[in-house]
Amino acid sequence: MTRNSRTPQIFNVVIVGQEGRLAYEALLFAASLRHSCPEFQGRLLLAEPQPGPLWDSDPRITDGALREALNELGAEFVPFDNQHFGSTYPNGNKIEMLSALPAGEPFVFFDTDTLITGDLAAVPFDFDRPSASLKREGTWPEPQLYGPGYSALWKSLYDKFGLDFASSLDLNQPDEYWRRYLYFNAGFFYYRCPQEFGDLFLRYALAVRDDPPVELCAQSFDPWLDQIVLPLVIHALGGGRGTLPSGLLDGTVSCHYRFLPLLYARESDHAIEVLEAITAPNRMKKLLKQRDAIKRMVYQGRGAKVRALFDRDNLPRREQAIRNRIKSNGFWMR
């Protein structure tokens, strides 16, 4: 059977949307999905936290025109309540929202600071073998001078949950080098059932937050908690690295840009073309110009000035160096 004759998989795409920057990123995401994947047959679920004691203010998207535009692009609002996280750790939304999603339906979660740039429906997901984004740096853990090292730190987590540490290792990488250990960016992840994934994600996250192994006493969990726990969840569910062909997500099909200045600095010409196409309609302009970073970067030309600062074939190796150059030229915006 040729690739083109494969029966398309039906799955849900999930993002978290809330008041502020994420609302406008959600609009860009939804528009890019419809632009780049017009034949997508799944649902676009926009998980939205509801007001409660764990939030300092109402986290819902309050702009009626913005909500209407998201609906017209096919986004279905899915409310959820925060029982464990909120204003103090908003990254916890991607953990708690999973319990509100339809059980038994395969899903792919994306951070809202992502553009869909290709045919998402053609990606050969194996929903029985979960995985997540490998577009990351060695941000956690930070081994201390007198130990413990990477192996002891990560092994303490696997031991806590009764998981096999040795089978998680990439033996092609040297001992005590961060890439040897299973570590993901939580910018996307997927599985066959959001509630099964979410139950484990929440249980592990709370256990690490509230009762961490003694080896982690010198480690920071904020903002890394979701990325600390994510590899454990994926490993426990039979997934890992390399379960998806490389070059698709975080490649030709999706672009996790994180912030607009970084998008213009380092991402492909095609990603910029998608951004320009989806932001061109007058209705989108009216809504998106309400966000200063989008107004200045996209509509007032600062993005092009950022892009001119960098050679995409010879970028600095670390993201912080890219940020510093943008900031020193006065173009950094969130």
Side-chain angles (χ1 to χ4, degrees):
M1 182 178 292
T2 66
R3 181 176 178 179
N4 290 337
S5 64
R6 259 191 340 114
T7 301
Q9 297 188 93
I10 306 298
F11 55 89
N12 299 324
V13 170
V14 185
I15 57 176
V16 172
Q18 65 186 83
E19 185 73 357
R21 174 171 57 88
L22 269 64
Y24 295 92
E25 290 176 352
L27 184 61
L28 291 175
F29 180 94
S32 71
L33 175 64
R34 299 309 171 196
H35 172 84
S36 300
C37 192
E39 302 302 318
F40 178 68
Q41 299 178 38
R43 300 161 69 189
L44 171 58
L45 304 179
L46 193 156
E48 185 182 46
Q50 301 300 290
L54 296 180
W55 289 104
D56 297 332
S57 59
D58 190 342
R60 293 175 297 184
I61 299 171
T62 57
D63 187 315
L66 191 53
R67 295 182 74 92
E68 183 181 351
L70 284 162
N71 283 145
E72 290 179 0
L73 287 166
E76 303 175 39
F77 283 79
V78 179
F80 70 95
D81 294 314
N82 294 90
Q83 304 294 330
H84 306 280
F85 305 105
S87 295
T88 58
Y89 189 65
N91 285 11
N93 280 339
K94 68 181 67 175
I95 301 173
E96 293 201 79
M97 64 90 187
L98 292 166
S99 66
L101 303 183
E105 295 185 11
F107 75 96
V108 184
F109 166 83
F110 288 99
D111 275 345
T112 51
D113 51 359
T114 301
L115 295 176
I116 300 302
T117 54
D119 186 4
L120 186 62
V123 176
F125 292 104
D126 182 349
F127 287 105
D128 291 326
R129 299 176 64 214
S131 194
S133 172
L134 291 170
K135 186 179 181 180
R136 80 283 192 229
E137 296 180 346
T139 48
W140 193 93
E142 294 186 356
Q144 304 301 297
L145 180 61
Y146 297 106
Y150 281 103
S151 288
L153 291 166
W154 277 115
K155 187 175 186 301
S156 72
L157 287 165
Y158 284 78
D159 289 347
K160 180 176 179 65
F161 300 111
L163 303 174
D164 179 48
F165 174 63
S167 62
S168 74
L169 299 175
D170 181 353
L171 300 180
N172 292 315
Q173 301 291 340
D175 193 29
E176 292 302 316
Y177 178 51
W178 71 269
R179 290 185 182 274
R180 184 179 178 90
Y181 309 94
L182 198 61
Y183 189 54
F184 298 104
N185 185 308
F188 77 77
F189 53 85
Y190 58 88
Y191 190 52
R192 65 190 179 202
C193 174
Q195 297 204 14
E196 185 181 352
F197 194 100
D199 287 347
L200 206 56
F201 207 174
L202 180 61
R203 179 162 67 86
Y204 285 6
L206 294 178
V208 171
R209 183 192 69 178
D210 300 337
D211 183 28
V214 66
E215 289 87 347
L216 304 187
C217 65
Q219 298 297 317
S220 173
F221 299 153
D222 190 358
W224 314 115
L225 181 61
D226 59 330
Q227 294 193 174
I228 296 167
V229 172
L230 185 59
L232 307 174
V233 175
I234 287 173
H235 188 65
L237 294 174
R241 58 177 80 77
T243 66
L244 193 66
S246 62
L248 298 177
L249 299 191
D250 293 331
T252 59
V253 174
S254 71
C255 171
H256 185 199
Y257 58 87
R258 301 195 63 197
F259 299 105
L260 285 174
L262 292 176
L263 191 160
Y264 279 100
R266 65 186 180 185
E267 303 300 345
S268 69
D269 290 344
H270 178 62
I272 300 297
E273 290 167 2
V274 170
L275 178 66
E276 291 178 346
I278 64 175
T279 56
N282 286 331
R283 186 180 182 193
M284 291 286 285
K285 286 182 183 179
K286 184 177 180 180
L287 290 169
L288 293 170
K289 282 183 177 180
Q290 297 175 140
R291 187 73 187 172
D292 277 350
I294 300 176
K295 179 173 70 175
R296 299 190 188 285
M297 284 286 150
V298 176
Y299 298 113
Q300 295 182 353
R302 289 194 186 183
K305 293 178 180 179
V306 169
R307 197 157 181 80
L309 296 173
F310 296 91
D311 174 4
R312 251 67 57 198
D313 295 325
N314 189 30
L315 288 169
R317 292 184 61 186
R318 295 192 65 84
E319 181 181 299
Q320 191 59 51
I322 299 174
R323 291 182 179 227
N324 290 343
R325 188 182 301 178
I326 296 171
K327 289 175 181 178
S328 67
N329 283 273
F331 295 136
W332 183 257
M333 298 192 76
R334 297 183 58 172

